[in-house]
Structures are given as structure tokens and as C-alpha cells.
Amino acid sequence: MRVVSLVPSLTEAVAVTLPGVLVGATDWCTHPAELDVPRVGGSKYPDLVRVLALRPDLVLLNVEENRREDADALVAAGVPVRVTYPRTVPEALAELTELLADLGATQEPAWLGAARRAWADPPRLSPARRAVVPVWRRPWVVLGSDTFAGDVLRRLGTLNLYEGHAERYLRPELAELRDIGAELVVLPDEPYRFTADDGPDAFPGKPCALLSGRHLTWYGPSLAEAPAVLAAQLARPVTVPA
């Protein structure tokens, strides 16, 4: 089996579970750190010529990470693709279990078992906090309904105020974000790299939790430590004076 992954979290999951199966990955596939496979460009705009040159038996994609036209082009070239789309933690665990078994794993990897245990009873903010979750700036983009990251936060006691919106990602004005009544602003470091100096400044007087984007949005080995990592970060917000 020769697998090319265009999804960073799946790259990590396959690389640590089935060494040697992965023959290509994107430039954004940063884990595991020692991964040494040919790179095929970005997730949104991969170099399909390089992908095909690797003669993959399967290419891994995700609805949010990758473009439909690239999936269609690979299929037209005769390459099987597998498209993932988990929107909850249980869906992610189920998809990972099925994928790894189909790729040849004869038993569940230790990290996946650890992730199941970690998410069976994760730490929660008490009381729960109403939050907005920007994922981009200039323009501001926030999490809406039916997202994996939104489900992760809900299980940790953080309630996305845009969860009931018709759109999964939306672009409200900054004034609306400031006035909507959030008790917490959640600022992950990907896809936009929010930092203590870039993000909280837009919400003076409002607690802002700086989160690991990998632990918030990736579904792979990071799921095992995500509850503890994210809960600690949610409990230590920073506030820029009003």
C-alpha cells in the first residue's frame, strides 16, 4: 500500500501507526517531526503531477482541507481517494479506526485507545463559557455551526455563540463580535496564527484564550492529549486592558 496524504492530521496518524505506508505528504504536514517523505505542495493547491508521480494506491483528503476539483482530477487519473469529514470527536475516532484498519493495522494503536479514554470524560470549564471563535483576521472569520472544532470546545465547556448559525464559517464585523455577549474569545494559532500580541488587542477588556490549533482542529494522535492541553489553555485567558 502506497499512501499520499493531503491532510496533516491524517499524515501524522498514518505515519506513526503504519511506518512505511506513507509515500507523500503536503508541505504543511509537520508531524511527526521526523517525517521524511516527498512533499507535494499545499493542502489547498497540491501539485497533482508530483502526487501522481509517487504512484499512490490511495490519496487521503478532507472536505475542509482540500478542493473538490483536486479530488475529481485524481479520480479521473485512476487514483482511488478517501475523503474524510468528521464534525464531532466520536466521528473522528470512528473514521480513524476504520481508516487505519483498512490500511492494514492489525490492532488499535495505543494513541487511539488513549484518545478514546481522554475524551470519555474530558475536563470542562465550570461554569461553561459563552464564546466566539475567530479562525482568521482581516477579514474576521469565526466558527459557525457543525464544525469539529466547535464540538471539541463544547465538550470542554465552551459554548460557541454562532453554533446555531446557518453557515459553518461566517464573517461578522468586529463590532458584532465585541457586542454579542461572549464571556470568552477563543483564538487558535491556526489557520491564522493568533498570538498574545495579535488578536487579544481587538477585544480590550475581554478574556482571550490562546489555543493550540493542532489540538483544536487535528484528528489524529494529538487527540490523546488535546483535552488536557486545551482545558489548561482555556483556563488561562489573557486580557488586554480596556
Side-chain angles (χ1 to χ4, degrees), residues 116-205:
R116 293 187 196 283
R117 294 188 295 273
W119 283 103
D121 185 23
R124 294 175 56 86
L125 287 177
S126 182
R129 304 288 196 278
R130 294 173 297 156
V132 292
V133 191
V135 294
W136 200 259
R137 184 175 189 175
R138 304 180 191 95
W140 289 96
V141 179
V142 301
L143 292 186
S145 61
D146 203 27
T147 65
F148 176 75
D151 184 67
V152 166
L153 290 170
R154 180 179 59 80
R155 294 171 187 275
L156 299 174
T158 306
L159 309 177
N160 178 13
L161 286 172
Y162 286 98
E163 177 61 38
H165 199 278
E167 298 178 53
R168 301 184 68 245
Y169 297 92
L170 54 151
R171 298 184 177 190
E173 295 295 328
L174 178 58
E176 178 181 321
L177 293 178
R178 288 171 170 169
D179 297 339
I180 197 173
E183 299 166 303
L184 183 69
V185 179
V186 174
L187 299 171
D189 61 11
E190 61 177 72
Y192 186 91
R193 188 171 180 78
F194 288 109
T195 67
D197 298 320
D198 184 358
D201 58 293
F203 302 93

Side-chain angles (χ1 to χ4, degrees), residues 8 23 40 79 83 99 152 191 210:
V23 297
V40 297
V79 177
V83 182
L99 170 65
V152 166
L210 298 165

Side-chain angles (χ1 to χ4, degrees), residues 80-135:
V81 301
R82 184 159 183 155
V83 182
T84 60
Y85 191 26
R87 281 156 287 180
T88 67
V89 171
E91 287 179 3
L93 294 172
E95 287 196 22
L96 287 164
T97 299
E98 184 177 352
L99 170 65
L100 295 173
D102 289 348
L103 292 182
T106 57
Q107 60 185 12
E108 181 173 277
W111 64 261
L112 188 50
R116 293 187 196 283
R117 294 188 295 273
W119 283 103
D121 185 23
R124 294 175 56 86
L125 287 177
S126 182
R129 304 288 196 278
R130 294 173 297 156
V132 292
V133 191
V135 294

